[in-house]
Amino acid sequence: MVSIEQRAHDLTMLYLQLEIKEGLLRPEHEDFKGFVREYQRVHDNIIEQFE
């Protein structure tokens, strides 16, 4: 069975890909920290949903 952490990571990546595709998130080198913050925000929210 896949761990909750792995499921949350997979769903986070899927969500971020959608945000990038829709132009809502631009993972540019200058804003890499912003991209990481958004990953952590989404990941934490997904983990909360599993609890």
mmCIF file of all heavy atoms in Angstrom:
data_model
loop_
_atom_site.group_PDB
_atom_site.id
_atom_site.type_symbol
_atom_site.label_atom_id
_atom_site.label_comp_id
_atom_site.label_asym_id
_atom_site.label_seq_id
_atom_site.Cartn_x
_atom_site.Cartn_y
_atom_site.Cartn_z
ATOM 1 N N MET A 1 0.840 -1.184 0.000
ATOM 2 C CA MET A 1 0.000 0.000 0.000
ATOM 3 C C MET A 1 0.883 1.245 0.000
ATOM 4 O O MET A 1 1.944 1.273 0.609
ATOM 5 C CB MET A 1 -0.904 -0.023 1.227
ATOM 6 C CG MET A 1 -1.710 1.241 1.372
ATOM 7 S SD MET A 1 -3.098 1.038 2.478
ATOM 8 C CE MET A 1 -4.406 1.240 1.324
ATOM 9 N N VAL A 2 0.421 2.261 -0.655
ATOM 10 C CA VAL A 2 1.146 3.525 -0.753
ATOM 11 C C VAL A 2 0.887 4.353 0.504
ATOM 12 O O VAL A 2 -0.233 4.427 0.996
ATOM 13 C CB VAL A 2 0.683 4.306 -2.004
ATOM 14 C CG1 VAL A 2 1.382 5.630 -2.108
ATOM 15 C CG2 VAL A 2 0.908 3.483 -3.265
ATOM 16 N N SER A 3 1.946 4.977 1.019
ATOM 17 C CA SER A 3 1.812 5.768 2.247
ATOM 18 C C SER A 3 1.021 7.056 1.984
ATOM 19 O O SER A 3 0.898 7.517 0.841
ATOM 20 C CB SER A 3 3.190 6.129 2.791
ATOM 21 O OG SER A 3 3.807 7.092 1.958
ATOM 22 N N ILE A 4 0.512 7.608 3.051
ATOM 23 C CA ILE A 4 -0.216 8.877 2.952
ATOM 24 C C ILE A 4 0.705 9.964 2.422
ATOM 25 O O ILE A 4 0.289 10.790 1.600
ATOM 26 C CB ILE A 4 -0.819 9.267 4.325
ATOM 27 C CG1 ILE A 4 -1.960 8.318 4.674
ATOM 28 C CG2 ILE A 4 -1.285 10.708 4.325
ATOM 29 C CD1 ILE A 4 -2.535 8.513 6.058
ATOM 30 N N GLU A 5 1.953 9.965 2.853
ATOM 31 C CA GLU A 5 2.921 10.961 2.379
ATOM 32 C C GLU A 5 3.098 10.876 0.864
ATOM 33 O O GLU A 5 3.148 11.895 0.175
ATOM 34 C CB GLU A 5 4.267 10.793 3.070
ATOM 35 C CG GLU A 5 4.311 11.315 4.467
ATOM 36 C CD GLU A 5 4.239 12.841 4.544
ATOM 37 O OE1 GLU A 5 4.744 13.522 3.635
ATOM 38 O OE2 GLU A 5 3.686 13.331 5.529
ATOM 39 N N GLN A 6 3.202 9.653 0.337
ATOM 40 C CA GLN A 6 3.382 9.482 -1.105
ATOM 41 C C GLN A 6 2.132 9.904 -1.864
ATOM 42 O O GLN A 6 2.214 10.565 -2.898
ATOM 43 C CB GLN A 6 3.734 8.028 -1.451
ATOM 44 C CG GLN A 6 4.007 7.819 -2.931
ATOM 45 C CD GLN A 6 5.186 8.631 -3.443
ATOM 46 O OE1 GLN A 6 6.244 8.634 -2.829
ATOM 47 N NE2 GLN A 6 5.006 9.327 -4.542
ATOM 48 N N ARG A 7 0.971 9.547 -1.341
ATOM 49 C CA ARG A 7 -0.276 9.975 -1.986
ATOM 50 C C ARG A 7 -0.385 11.495 -1.987
ATOM 51 O O ARG A 7 -0.770 12.096 -2.982
ATOM 52 C CB ARG A 7 -1.486 9.386 -1.260
ATOM 53 C CG ARG A 7 -1.732 7.953 -1.592
ATOM 54 C CD ARG A 7 -3.068 7.545 -1.040
ATOM 55 N NE ARG A 7 -2.852 6.388 -0.194
ATOM 56 C CZ ARG A 7 -3.703 5.925 0.682
ATOM 57 N NH1 ARG A 7 -4.853 6.511 0.878
ATOM 58 N NH2 ARG A 7 -3.425 4.860 1.392
ATOM 59 N N ALA A 8 -0.039 12.105 -0.853
ATOM 60 C CA ALA A 8 -0.102 13.562 -0.763
ATOM 61 C C ALA A 8 0.878 14.204 -1.739
ATOM 62 O O ALA A 8 0.547 15.195 -2.393
ATOM 63 C CB ALA A 8 0.187 14.014 0.662
ATOM 64 N N HIS A 9 2.063 13.645 -1.859
ATOM 65 C CA HIS A 9 3.046 14.176 -2.809
ATOM 66 C C HIS A 9 2.511 14.072 -4.238
ATOM 67 O O HIS A 9 2.569 15.041 -5.005
ATOM 68 C CB HIS A 9 4.369 13.425 -2.700
ATOM 69 C CG HIS A 9 5.310 13.738 -3.814
ATOM 70 N ND1 HIS A 9 6.010 14.922 -3.871
ATOM 71 C CD2 HIS A 9 5.638 13.041 -4.924
ATOM 72 C CE1 HIS A 9 6.729 14.936 -4.992
ATOM 73 N NE2 HIS A 9 6.525 13.798 -5.627
ATOM 74 N N ASP A 10 1.990 12.909 -4.606
ATOM 75 C CA ASP A 10 1.472 12.714 -5.959
ATOM 76 C C ASP A 10 0.340 13.691 -6.273
ATOM 77 O O ASP A 10 0.308 14.304 -7.343
ATOM 78 C CB ASP A 10 0.989 11.278 -6.150
ATOM 79 C CG ASP A 10 2.124 10.263 -6.102
ATOM 80 O OD1 ASP A 10 3.309 10.660 -6.202
ATOM 81 O OD2 ASP A 10 1.818 9.066 -5.962
ATOM 82 N N LEU A 11 -0.580 13.848 -5.335
ATOM 83 C CA LEU A 11 -1.696 14.778 -5.545
ATOM 84 C C LEU A 11 -1.220 16.227 -5.583
ATOM 85 O O LEU A 11 -1.738 17.040 -6.350
ATOM 86 C CB LEU A 11 -2.751 14.589 -4.461
ATOM 87 C CG LEU A 11 -3.543 13.284 -4.557
ATOM 88 C CD1 LEU A 11 -4.389 13.102 -3.300
ATOM 89 C CD2 LEU A 11 -4.412 13.270 -5.800
ATOM 90 N N THR A 12 -0.226 16.547 -4.767
ATOM 91 C CA THR A 12 0.333 17.896 -4.775
ATOM 92 C C THR A 12 0.949 18.208 -6.125
ATOM 93 O O THR A 12 0.716 19.284 -6.696
ATOM 94 C CB THR A 12 1.392 18.058 -3.667
ATOM 95 O OG1 THR A 12 0.770 17.840 -2.402
ATOM 96 C CG2 THR A 12 2.023 19.436 -3.693
ATOM 97 N N MET A 13 1.718 17.270 -6.653
ATOM 98 C CA MET A 13 2.349 17.481 -7.955
ATOM 99 C C MET A 13 1.296 17.633 -9.056
ATOM 100 O O MET A 13 1.426 18.489 -9.933
ATOM 101 C CB MET A 13 3.316 16.341 -8.276
ATOM 102 C CG MET A 13 4.512 16.300 -7.335
ATOM 103 S SD MET A 13 5.396 17.887 -7.191
ATOM 104 C CE MET A 13 6.024 18.058 -8.847
ATOM 105 N N LEU A 14 0.262 16.834 -9.001
ATOM 106 C CA LEU A 14 -0.820 16.943 -9.978
ATOM 107 C C LEU A 14 -1.479 18.322 -9.902
ATOM 108 O O LEU A 14 -1.712 18.981 -10.919
ATOM 109 C CB LEU A 14 -1.850 15.839 -9.728
ATOM 110 C CG LEU A 14 -3.045 15.804 -10.656
ATOM 111 C CD1 LEU A 14 -2.603 15.513 -12.087
ATOM 112 C CD2 LEU A 14 -4.041 14.747 -10.179
ATOM 113 N N TYR A 15 -1.741 18.767 -8.685
ATOM 114 C CA TYR A 15 -2.367 20.075 -8.488
ATOM 115 C C TYR A 15 -1.460 21.203 -8.983
ATOM 116 O O TYR A 15 -1.927 22.122 -9.667
ATOM 117 C CB TYR A 15 -2.692 20.258 -6.999
ATOM 118 C CG TYR A 15 -3.450 21.516 -6.717
ATOM 119 C CD1 TYR A 15 -4.822 21.559 -6.853
ATOM 120 C CD2 TYR A 15 -2.778 22.674 -6.300
ATOM 121 C CE1 TYR A 15 -5.538 22.725 -6.599
ATOM 122 C CE2 TYR A 15 -3.480 23.835 -6.040
ATOM 123 C CZ TYR A 15 -4.846 23.867 -6.187
ATOM 124 O OH TYR A 15 -5.538 25.017 -5.936
ATOM 125 N N LEU A 16 -0.179 21.134 -8.666
ATOM 126 C CA LEU A 16 0.749 22.178 -9.103
ATOM 127 C C LEU A 16 0.888 22.183 -10.624
ATOM 128 O O LEU A 16 0.998 23.255 -11.231
ATOM 129 C CB LEU A 16 2.108 22.009 -8.432
ATOM 130 C CG LEU A 16 2.130 22.241 -6.925
ATOM 131 C CD1 LEU A 16 3.527 21.998 -6.376
ATOM 132 C CD2 LEU A 16 1.626 23.620 -6.552
ATOM 133 N N GLN A 17 0.868 21.019 -11.251
ATOM 134 C CA GLN A 17 0.918 20.959 -12.713
ATOM 135 C C GLN A 17 -0.293 21.661 -13.314
ATOM 136 O O GLN A 17 -0.175 22.375 -14.312
ATOM 137 C CB GLN A 17 0.991 19.514 -13.194
ATOM 138 C CG GLN A 17 2.331 18.881 -12.954
ATOM 139 C CD GLN A 17 2.349 17.407 -13.317
ATOM 140 O OE1 GLN A 17 1.336 16.806 -13.667
ATOM 141 N NE2 GLN A 17 3.519 16.803 -13.218
ATOM 142 N N LEU A 18 -1.447 21.469 -12.707
ATOM 143 C CA LEU A 18 -2.655 22.155 -13.169
ATOM 144 C C LEU A 18 -2.528 23.662 -12.991
ATOM 145 O O LEU A 18 -2.886 24.431 -13.887
ATOM 146 C CB LEU A 18 -3.888 21.635 -12.426
ATOM 147 C CG LEU A 18 -5.212 22.280 -12.802
ATOM 148 C CD1 LEU A 18 -5.533 22.042 -14.265
ATOM 149 C CD2 LEU A 18 -6.326 21.743 -11.917
ATOM 150 N N GLU A 19 -2.007 24.099 -11.842
ATOM 151 C CA GLU A 19 -1.806 25.527 -11.616
ATOM 152 C C GLU A 19 -0.842 26.119 -12.648
ATOM 153 O O GLU A 19 -1.064 27.214 -13.154
ATOM 154 C CB GLU A 19 -1.264 25.795 -10.207
ATOM 155 C CG GLU A 19 -2.300 25.708 -9.131
ATOM 156 C CD GLU A 19 -1.791 26.228 -7.797
ATOM 157 O OE1 GLU A 19 -0.567 26.262 -7.560
ATOM 158 O OE2 GLU A 19 -2.643 26.604 -6.975
ATOM 159 N N ILE A 20 0.210 25.395 -12.982
ATOM 160 C CA ILE A 20 1.170 25.864 -13.983
ATOM 161 C C ILE A 20 0.498 25.935 -15.346
ATOM 162 O O ILE A 20 0.620 26.929 -16.067
ATOM 163 C CB ILE A 20 2.410 24.945 -14.017
ATOM 164 C CG1 ILE A 20 3.217 25.113 -12.728
ATOM 165 C CG2 ILE A 20 3.278 25.253 -15.245
ATOM 166 C CD1 ILE A 20 4.279 24.049 -12.512
ATOM 167 N N LYS A 21 -0.231 24.885 -15.705
ATOM 168 C CA LYS A 21 -0.913 24.842 -17.007
ATOM 169 C C LYS A 21 -1.901 25.991 -17.158
ATOM 170 O O LYS A 21 -2.012 26.590 -18.225
ATOM 171 C CB LYS A 21 -1.642 23.503 -17.160
ATOM 172 C CG LYS A 21 -2.346 23.352 -18.490
ATOM 173 C CD LYS A 21 -3.033 22.008 -18.595
ATOM 174 C CE LYS A 21 -3.787 21.926 -19.902
ATOM 175 N NZ LYS A 21 -4.566 20.692 -19.996
ATOM 176 N N GLU A 22 -2.617 26.310 -16.088
ATOM 177 C CA GLU A 22 -3.610 27.381 -16.124
ATOM 178 C C GLU A 22 -2.990 28.768 -15.946
ATOM 179 O O GLU A 22 -3.690 29.770 -15.953
ATOM 180 C CB GLU A 22 -4.672 27.145 -15.043
ATOM 181 C CG GLU A 22 -5.492 25.884 -15.259
ATOM 182 C CD GLU A 22 -6.334 25.937 -16.519
ATOM 183 O OE1 GLU A 22 -6.904 26.996 -16.831
ATOM 184 O OE2 GLU A 22 -6.418 24.892 -17.207
ATOM 185 N N GLY A 23 -1.692 28.830 -15.766
ATOM 186 C CA GLY A 23 -1.005 30.096 -15.612
ATOM 187 C C GLY A 23 -1.146 30.719 -14.239
ATOM 188 O O GLY A 23 -0.844 31.899 -14.051
ATOM 189 N N LEU A 24 -1.596 29.934 -13.279
ATOM 190 C CA LEU A 24 -1.771 30.449 -11.921
ATOM 191 C C LEU A 24 -0.482 30.403 -11.118
ATOM 192 O O LEU A 24 -0.350 31.085 -10.105
ATOM 193 C CB LEU A 24 -2.855 29.643 -11.190
ATOM 194 C CG LEU A 24 -4.227 29.630 -11.861
ATOM 195 C CD1 LEU A 24 -5.152 28.665 -11.148
ATOM 196 C CD2 LEU A 24 -4.813 31.033 -11.886
ATOM 197 N N LEU A 25 0.449 29.590 -11.574
ATOM 198 C CA LEU A 25 1.734 29.433 -10.880
ATOM 199 C C LEU A 25 2.822 29.407 -11.930
ATOM 200 O O LEU A 25 2.721 28.692 -12.923
ATOM 201 C CB LEU A 25 1.742 28.119 -10.083
ATOM 202 C CG LEU A 25 2.993 27.797 -9.277
ATOM 203 C CD1 LEU A 25 3.201 28.851 -8.188
ATOM 204 C CD2 LEU A 25 2.864 26.429 -8.653
ATOM 205 N N ARG A 26 3.856 30.218 -11.715
ATOM 206 C CA ARG A 26 4.974 30.279 -12.649
ATOM 207 C C ARG A 26 6.250 29.941 -11.900
ATOM 208 O O ARG A 26 6.803 30.801 -11.221
ATOM 209 C CB ARG A 26 5.053 31.666 -13.268
ATOM 210 C CG ARG A 26 3.810 31.984 -14.090
ATOM 211 C CD ARG A 26 3.860 33.352 -14.668
ATOM 212 N NE ARG A 26 5.040 33.464 -15.518
ATOM 213 C CZ ARG A 26 5.507 34.610 -15.968
ATOM 214 N NH1 ARG A 26 4.917 35.729 -15.657
ATOM 215 N NH2 ARG A 26 6.570 34.637 -16.729
ATOM 216 N N PRO A 27 6.716 28.700 -12.012
ATOM 217 C CA PRO A 27 7.918 28.285 -11.277
ATOM 218 C C PRO A 27 9.196 28.795 -11.938
ATOM 219 O O PRO A 27 9.944 28.053 -12.546
ATOM 220 C CB PRO A 27 7.832 26.758 -11.326
ATOM 221 C CG PRO A 27 7.118 26.478 -12.600
ATOM 222 C CD PRO A 27 6.137 27.614 -12.761
ATOM 223 N N GLU A 28 9.424 30.070 -11.823
ATOM 224 C CA GLU A 28 10.619 30.679 -12.413
ATOM 225 C C GLU A 28 11.777 30.585 -11.431
ATOM 226 O O GLU A 28 11.589 30.503 -10.227
ATOM 227 C CB GLU A 28 10.335 32.144 -12.745
ATOM 228 C CG GLU A 28 9.190 32.283 -13.738
ATOM 229 C CD GLU A 28 8.759 33.721 -13.902
ATOM 230 O OE1 GLU A 28 9.210 34.590 -13.133
ATOM 231 O OE2 GLU A 28 7.960 33.969 -14.809
ATOM 232 N N HIS A 29 12.974 30.645 -11.951
ATOM 233 C CA HIS A 29 14.157 30.541 -11.105
ATOM 234 C C HIS A 29 14.188 31.644 -10.049
ATOM 235 O O HIS A 29 14.605 31.429 -8.926
ATOM 236 C CB HIS A 29 15.430 30.600 -11.947
ATOM 237 C CG HIS A 29 15.575 29.412 -12.837
ATOM 238 N ND1 HIS A 29 15.832 28.152 -12.356
ATOM 239 C CD2 HIS A 29 15.483 29.292 -14.185
ATOM 240 C CE1 HIS A 29 15.905 27.314 -13.357
ATOM 241 N NE2 HIS A 29 15.702 27.964 -14.480
ATOM 242 N N GLU A 30 13.709 32.833 -10.401
ATOM 243 C CA GLU A 30 13.735 33.950 -9.448
ATOM 244 C C GLU A 30 12.765 33.722 -8.293
ATOM 245 O O GLU A 30 12.901 34.295 -7.230
ATOM 246 C CB GLU A 30 13.376 35.269 -10.131
ATOM 247 C CG GLU A 30 14.229 35.623 -11.321
ATOM 248 C CD GLU A 30 13.709 35.015 -12.619
ATOM 249 O OE1 GLU A 30 12.497 35.015 -12.863
ATOM 250 O OE2 GLU A 30 14.545 34.512 -13.383
ATOM 251 N N ASP A 31 11.729 32.909 -8.524
ATOM 252 C CA ASP A 31 10.714 32.704 -7.497
ATOM 253 C C ASP A 31 10.656 31.248 -7.061
ATOM 254 O O ASP A 31 9.591 30.717 -6.768
ATOM 255 C CB ASP A 31 9.360 33.165 -8.017
ATOM 256 C CG ASP A 31 8.315 33.226 -6.913
ATOM 257 O OD1 ASP A 31 8.690 33.520 -5.763
ATOM 258 O OD2 ASP A 31 7.141 32.964 -7.200
ATOM 259 N N PHE A 32 11.808 30.596 -7.039
ATOM 260 C CA PHE A 32 11.829 29.187 -6.655
ATOM 261 C C PHE A 32 11.323 28.981 -5.234
ATOM 262 O O PHE A 32 10.607 28.033 -4.952
ATOM 263 C CB PHE A 32 13.246 28.617 -6.805
ATOM 264 C CG PHE A 32 13.296 27.135 -6.606
ATOM 265 C CD1 PHE A 32 12.794 26.284 -7.567
ATOM 266 C CD2 PHE A 32 13.830 26.599 -5.448
ATOM 267 C CE1 PHE A 32 12.821 24.904 -7.380
ATOM 268 C CE2 PHE A 32 13.878 25.226 -5.259
ATOM 269 C CZ PHE A 32 13.370 24.383 -6.222
ATOM 270 N N LYS A 33 11.652 29.914 -4.346
ATOM 271 C CA LYS A 33 11.173 29.801 -2.964
ATOM 272 C C LYS A 33 9.652 29.883 -2.913
ATOM 273 O O LYS A 33 9.019 29.205 -2.110
ATOM 274 C CB LYS A 33 11.802 30.873 -2.093
ATOM 275 C CG LYS A 33 13.265 30.631 -1.818
ATOM 276 C CD LYS A 33 13.847 31.696 -0.920
ATOM 277 C CE LYS A 33 15.322 31.450 -0.706
ATOM 278 N NZ LYS A 33 15.923 32.475 0.145
ATOM 279 N N GLY A 34 9.072 30.702 -3.767
ATOM 280 C CA GLY A 34 7.613 30.794 -3.831
ATOM 281 C C GLY A 34 6.988 29.488 -4.293
ATOM 282 O O GLY A 34 5.940 29.070 -3.792
ATOM 283 N N PHE A 35 7.643 28.839 -5.244
ATOM 284 C CA PHE A 35 7.167 27.546 -5.737
ATOM 285 C C PHE A 35 7.216 26.508 -4.615
ATOM 286 O O PHE A 35 6.264 25.753 -4.420
ATOM 287 C CB PHE A 35 8.017 27.087 -6.920
ATOM 288 C CG PHE A 35 7.597 25.774 -7.495
ATOM 289 C CD1 PHE A 35 6.459 25.674 -8.279
ATOM 290 C CD2 PHE A 35 8.339 24.629 -7.248
ATOM 291 C CE1 PHE A 35 6.070 24.452 -8.803
ATOM 292 C CE2 PHE A 35 7.956 23.411 -7.768
ATOM 293 C CZ PHE A 35 6.816 23.322 -8.552
ATOM 294 N N VAL A 36 8.298 26.513 -3.855
ATOM 295 C CA VAL A 36 8.443 25.569 -2.744
ATOM 296 C C VAL A 36 7.396 25.858 -1.668
ATOM 297 O O VAL A 36 6.785 24.933 -1.114
ATOM 298 C CB VAL A 36 9.874 25.612 -2.156
ATOM 299 C CG1 VAL A 36 9.978 24.779 -0.890
ATOM 300 C CG2 VAL A 36 10.876 25.136 -3.199
ATOM 301 N N ARG A 37 7.145 27.129 -1.381
ATOM 302 C CA ARG A 37 6.112 27.488 -0.396
ATOM 303 C C ARG A 37 4.742 26.995 -0.850
ATOM 304 O O ARG A 37 3.952 26.491 -0.053
ATOM 305 C CB ARG A 37 6.075 28.994 -0.172
ATOM 306 C CG ARG A 37 7.117 29.500 0.784
ATOM 307 C CD ARG A 37 6.865 30.944 1.196
ATOM 308 N NE ARG A 37 6.782 31.839 0.049
ATOM 309 C CZ ARG A 37 7.816 32.470 -0.506
ATOM 310 N NH1 ARG A 37 9.026 32.290 -0.014
ATOM 311 N NH2 ARG A 37 7.652 33.269 -1.529
ATOM 312 N N GLU A 38 4.445 27.150 -2.139
ATOM 313 C CA GLU A 38 3.154 26.697 -2.664
ATOM 314 C C GLU A 38 3.053 25.178 -2.572
ATOM 315 O O GLU A 38 2.007 24.645 -2.212
ATOM 316 C CB GLU A 38 2.977 27.162 -4.110
ATOM 317 C CG GLU A 38 1.675 26.739 -4.748
ATOM 318 C CD GLU A 38 0.422 27.357 -4.144
ATOM 319 O OE1 GLU A 38 0.505 28.164 -3.197
ATOM 320 O OE2 GLU A 38 -0.669 27.015 -4.616
ATOM 321 N N TYR A 39 4.142 24.475 -2.881
ATOM 322 C CA TYR A 39 4.154 23.015 -2.738
ATOM 323 C C TYR A 39 3.822 22.642 -1.295
ATOM 324 O O TYR A 39 2.973 21.789 -1.038
ATOM 325 C CB TYR A 39 5.521 22.433 -3.130
ATOM 326 C CG TYR A 39 5.625 20.957 -2.837
ATOM 327 C CD1 TYR A 39 5.289 20.020 -3.796
ATOM 328 C CD2 TYR A 39 6.024 20.505 -1.574
ATOM 329 C CE1 TYR A 39 5.351 18.659 -3.523
ATOM 330 C CE2 TYR A 39 6.088 19.156 -1.292
ATOM 331 C CZ TYR A 39 5.753 18.231 -2.259
ATOM 332 O OH TYR A 39 5.808 16.893 -1.971
ATOM 333 N N GLN A 40 4.503 23.274 -0.349
ATOM 334 C CA GLN A 40 4.304 22.939 1.070
ATOM 335 C C GLN A 40 2.876 23.252 1.504
ATOM 336 O O GLN A 40 2.263 22.468 2.239
ATOM 337 C CB GLN A 40 5.295 23.704 1.948
ATOM 338 C CG GLN A 40 5.339 23.201 3.363
ATOM 339 C CD GLN A 40 5.831 21.779 3.460
ATOM 340 O OE1 GLN A 40 6.867 21.441 2.908
ATOM 341 N NE2 GLN A 40 5.096 20.926 4.132
ATOM 342 N N ARG A 41 2.330 24.369 1.044
ATOM 343 C CA ARG A 41 0.958 24.747 1.405
ATOM 344 C C ARG A 41 -0.033 23.700 0.914
ATOM 345 O O ARG A 41 -0.891 23.225 1.671
ATOM 346 C CB ARG A 41 0.623 26.115 0.817
ATOM 347 C CG ARG A 41 -0.768 26.627 1.197
ATOM 348 C CD ARG A 41 -1.135 27.871 0.410
ATOM 349 N NE ARG A 41 -1.390 27.584 -0.981
ATOM 350 C CZ ARG A 41 -2.523 27.045 -1.456
ATOM 351 N NH1 ARG A 41 -3.491 26.712 -0.631
ATOM 352 N NH2 ARG A 41 -2.682 26.843 -2.744
ATOM 353 N N VAL A 42 0.086 23.334 -0.353
ATOM 354 C CA VAL A 42 -0.829 22.356 -0.936
ATOM 355 C C VAL A 42 -0.641 20.991 -0.269
ATOM 356 O O VAL A 42 -1.621 20.328 0.096
ATOM 357 C CB VAL A 42 -0.628 22.268 -2.469
ATOM 358 C CG1 VAL A 42 -1.441 21.132 -3.060
ATOM 359 C CG2 VAL A 42 -0.987 23.592 -3.131
ATOM 360 N N HIS A 43 0.603 20.584 -0.100
ATOM 361 C CA HIS A 43 0.899 19.290 0.517
ATOM 362 C C HIS A 43 0.303 19.207 1.924
ATOM 363 O O HIS A 43 -0.337 18.212 2.274
ATOM 364 C CB HIS A 43 2.417 19.073 0.552
ATOM 365 C CG HIS A 43 2.825 17.733 1.030
ATOM 366 N ND1 HIS A 43 3.112 17.479 2.346
ATOM 367 C CD2 HIS A 43 2.997 16.562 0.369
ATOM 368 C CE1 HIS A 43 3.442 16.208 2.479
ATOM 369 N NE2 HIS A 43 3.393 15.632 1.293
ATOM 370 N N ASP A 44 0.497 20.250 2.713
ATOM 371 C CA ASP A 44 -0.044 20.264 4.076
ATOM 372 C C ASP A 44 -1.567 20.178 4.066
ATOM 373 O O ASP A 44 -2.163 19.464 4.882
ATOM 374 C CB ASP A 44 0.403 21.514 4.825
ATOM 375 C CG ASP A 44 1.886 21.504 5.145
ATOM 376 O OD1 ASP A 44 2.530 20.444 5.011
ATOM 377 O OD2 ASP A 44 2.406 22.582 5.523
ATOM 378 N N ASN A 45 -2.208 20.886 3.140
ATOM 379 C CA ASN A 45 -3.667 20.838 3.050
ATOM 380 C C ASN A 45 -4.161 19.451 2.664
ATOM 381 O O ASN A 45 -5.180 18.983 3.190
ATOM 382 C CB ASN A 45 -4.189 21.874 2.049
ATOM 383 C CG ASN A 45 -4.130 23.274 2.590
ATOM 384 O OD1 ASN A 45 -4.221 23.486 3.798
ATOM 385 N ND2 ASN A 45 -3.962 24.246 1.716
ATOM 386 N N ILE A 46 -3.461 18.803 1.767
ATOM 387 C CA ILE A 46 -3.857 17.453 1.374
ATOM 388 C C ILE A 46 -3.671 16.479 2.527
ATOM 389 O O ILE A 46 -4.540 15.635 2.787
ATOM 390 C CB ILE A 46 -3.093 16.999 0.109
ATOM 391 C CG1 ILE A 46 -3.576 17.837 -1.093
ATOM 392 C CG2 ILE A 46 -3.273 15.520 -0.148
ATOM 393 C CD1 ILE A 46 -2.783 17.636 -2.368
ATOM 394 N N ILE A 47 -2.557 16.580 3.245
ATOM 395 C CA ILE A 47 -2.329 15.724 4.417
ATOM 396 C C ILE A 47 -3.474 15.887 5.417
ATOM 397 O O ILE A 47 -3.992 14.916 5.950
ATOM 398 C CB ILE A 47 -0.966 16.039 5.083
ATOM 399 C CG1 ILE A 47 0.183 15.580 4.214
ATOM 400 C CG2 ILE A 47 -0.878 15.424 6.481
ATOM 401 C CD1 ILE A 47 0.390 14.084 4.141
ATOM 402 N N GLU A 48 -3.891 17.126 5.655
ATOM 403 C CA GLU A 48 -5.004 17.378 6.579
ATOM 404 C C GLU A 48 -6.271 16.675 6.120
ATOM 405 O O GLU A 48 -7.046 16.187 6.940
ATOM 406 C CB GLU A 48 -5.270 18.878 6.684
ATOM 407 C CG GLU A 48 -4.258 19.626 7.502
ATOM 408 C CD GLU A 48 -4.546 21.116 7.557
ATOM 409 O OE1 GLU A 48 -5.720 21.514 7.331
ATOM 410 O OE2 GLU A 48 -3.607 21.873 7.810
ATOM 411 N N GLN A 49 -6.498 16.616 4.818
ATOM 412 C CA GLN A 49 -7.697 15.958 4.295
ATOM 413 C C GLN A 49 -7.663 14.449 4.546
ATOM 414 O O GLN A 49 -8.707 13.830 4.688
ATOM 415 C CB GLN A 49 -7.846 16.227 2.799
ATOM 416 C CG GLN A 49 -8.097 17.681 2.463
ATOM 417 C CD GLN A 49 -9.363 18.202 3.106
ATOM 418 O OE1 GLN A 49 -10.417 17.583 3.037
ATOM 419 N NE2 GLN A 49 -9.266 19.353 3.741
ATOM 420 N N PHE A 50 -6.484 13.866 4.582
ATOM 421 C CA PHE A 50 -6.358 12.441 4.833
ATOM 422 C C PHE A 50 -6.545 12.089 6.306
ATOM 423 O O PHE A 50 -6.819 10.939 6.645
ATOM 424 C CB PHE A 50 -4.996 11.911 4.362
ATOM 425 C CG PHE A 50 -4.904 11.716 2.885
ATOM 426 C CD1 PHE A 50 -3.828 12.257 2.171
ATOM 427 C CD2 PHE A 50 -5.842 11.005 2.165
ATOM 428 C CE1 PHE A 50 -3.724 12.081 0.808
ATOM 429 C CE2 PHE A 50 -5.751 10.829 0.802
ATOM 430 C CZ PHE A 50 -4.676 11.358 0.120
ATOM 431 N N GLU A 51 -6.373 13.061 7.170
ATOM 432 C CA GLU A 51 -6.479 12.782 8.616
ATOM 433 C C GLU A 51 -7.910 12.754 9.080
ATOM 434 O O GLU A 51 -8.815 13.176 8.537
ATOM 435 C CB GLU A 51 -5.683 13.819 9.411
ATOM 436 C CG GLU A 51 -4.209 13.689 9.149
ATOM 437 C CD GLU A 51 -3.375 14.739 9.879
ATOM 438 O OE1 GLU A 51 -3.932 15.752 10.346
ATOM 439 O OE2 GLU A 51 -2.177 14.518 9.970
#
